[in-house]
Structure formats: structure tokens, C-alpha cells
């Protein structure tokens, strides 16, 4: 199946099947998502974008500048959207120095099995903006996935039907 993959449990040698590229949404929280869509569509776009890019423990490291660049909106609009999502308890923002770690409420959406929900320690997917980087001193695979853009140009592309 396209959304499943085989994994090996290295402690037992058993092969199991898990969902890949899968997000679980809880039915009892869909009304909240519908409510937020009516009240603040930009915040819901940011929320679903974070869900799409978060790791298997519901976390994503990304700056507000990179979010603003990805959506073609102002930093202020991102701050407003994040504050709204925090107010709705859809996500929380953890800090590591000046770094924002966005954690999606696991009672709304979850990307892994239920066993991992109780852990606070996580590896995070990190999304960086090329505009925030100094010119690298050497070539690296880490910089360059984010696309630079001209001021005001939208980064999110709509699918055409």
C-alpha cells in the first residue's frame, strides 16, 4: 500500500507495518478546526502547514520570519496567527534560547503511534529560511531547501484543478 511501510524492530528482528506520511485527527476536535477556519483562516493555514512539516512527535522548529516568507505575509500576521492558535490550545511554543519550537496539541492531531504522546523529549524537524542565513563558509546540504523570494512574492502555490 502507498501509505504503509515495513519497519524492522532491531531488538527482536520482527518486521512490522506502520503508516507512513500519516496524520491522525481526532473527530471530537474537528469542530474546533471548523470554528477556527471561520474565525481566522490564516491561522488555520499556518496550523495545517505546521502539521504537514512537523516530525513524528508533533514538533517543528521554524522561525516566524520563515513562516511569514512561506506564506507571503508579514511577521505581524504570523505572530497574530500563532497567538490565536495558542489561545485555542491548538499548539504551544517552546523556547530553546531564541529558537521557537512549535508543538501541535496531540489531542487534536498526531503523527505517530499513541505511545510517544507522553514524552517531552523529541527530535524536531527544522525548517529554515534562506533569507535568515549568513552566507555559508562551505557547501552544506542544510541550506538551500528554502527558496528565496522577491519581497511580496507568495511562496505557497495553489494546486490547479
Amino acid at each position: 500500500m502507498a501509505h504503509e511501510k515495513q519497519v524492522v524492530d532491531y531488538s527482536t528482528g520482527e518486521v512490522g507495518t506502520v503508516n507512513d506520511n500519516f496524520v491522525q485527527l481526532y473527530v471530537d476536535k474537528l469542530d474546533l478546526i471548523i470554528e477556527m477556519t471561520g474565525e481566522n483562516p490564516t491561522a488555520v493555514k499556518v496550523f495545517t502547514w505546521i502539521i504537514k512539516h512537523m516530525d513524528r512527535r508533533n514538533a517543528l522548529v521554524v522561525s516566524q520570519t520563515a513562516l511569514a516568507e512561506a506564506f507571503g505575509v508579514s511577521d505581524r500576521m504570523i505572530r497574530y496567527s500563532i497567538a490565536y492558535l495558542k489561545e485555542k490550545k491548538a499548539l504551544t511554543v517552546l523556547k530553546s534560547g531564541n529558537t521557537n519550537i512549535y508543538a501541535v496539541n496531540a489531542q487534536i492531531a498526531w503523527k505517530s503511534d499513541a505511545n510517544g504522546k507522553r514524552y517531552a523529549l523529541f527530535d524536531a524537524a527544522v525548517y529554515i529560511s534562506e533569507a535568515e542565513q549568513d552566507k555559508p563558509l562551505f557547501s552544506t546540504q542544510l541550506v538551500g531547501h528554502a527558496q528565496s523570494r522577491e519581497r511580496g512574492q507568495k511562496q505557497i502555490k495553489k494546486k490547479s484543478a
Side-chain angles (χ1 to χ4, degrees):
M1 301 235 174
H3 296 291
E4 295 176 350
K5 69 178 181 179
Q6 301 292 315
V7 293
V8 177
D9 181 338
Y10 292 107
S11 62
T12 65
E14 294 180 13
V15 177
T17 303
V18 295
N19 288 320
D20 190 30
N21 294 321
F22 175 80
V23 174
Q24 175 175 290
L25 294 173
Y26 292 97
V27 172
D28 64 337
K29 299 300 182 188
L30 290 177
D31 287 336
L32 172 63
I33 294 170
I34 292 167
E35 174 187 321
M36 292 189 313
T37 301
E39 292 177 354
N40 192 333
T42 301
V44 175
K45 287 178 186 177
V46 170
F47 182 63
T48 55
W49 188 92
I50 290 172
I51 289 171
K52 177 181 177 183
H53 290 89
M54 70 185 182
D55 66 8
R56 293 181 49 80
R57 294 193 183 102
N58 280 33
L60 175 66
V61 176
V62 60
S63 69
Q64 290 184 354
T65 300
L67 282 169
E69 190 173 295
F71 284 92
V73 298
S74 67
D75 288 0
R76 183 176 181 190
M77 178 61 79
I78 295 299
R79 283 192 301 277
Y80 174 74
S81 296
I82 296 299
Y84 175 83
L85 293 167
K86 286 170 57 177
E87 176 187 319
K88 293 294 187 176
K89 297 184 172 106
L91 61 75
T92 192
V93 181
L94 306 169
K95 294 285 193 179
S96 177
N98 291 331
T99 303
N100 288 341
I101 304 163
Y102 297 95
V104 171
N105 183 337
Q107 297 304 310
I108 298 173
W110 186 248
K111 243 186 183 175
S112 187
D113 62 40
N115 295 330
K117 285 186 183 181
R118 64 181 183 266
Y119 300 109
L121 177 64
F122 52 85
D123 301 321
V126 179
Y127 183 95
I128 61 173
S129 167
E130 185 177 45
E132 295 176 298
Q133 308 308 312
D134 293 331
K135 185 174 179 172
L137 300 174
F138 53 89
S139 179
T140 174
Q141 294 290 323
L142 298 177
V143 178
H145 294 288
Q147 297 176 8
S148 61
R149 65 175 177 87
E150 297 297 320
R151 196 65 154 149
Q153 179 185 356
K154 263 194 150 172
Q155 282 298 116
I156 304 290
K157 294 180 182 173
K158 294 182 180 178
K159 281 189 175 177
S160 40

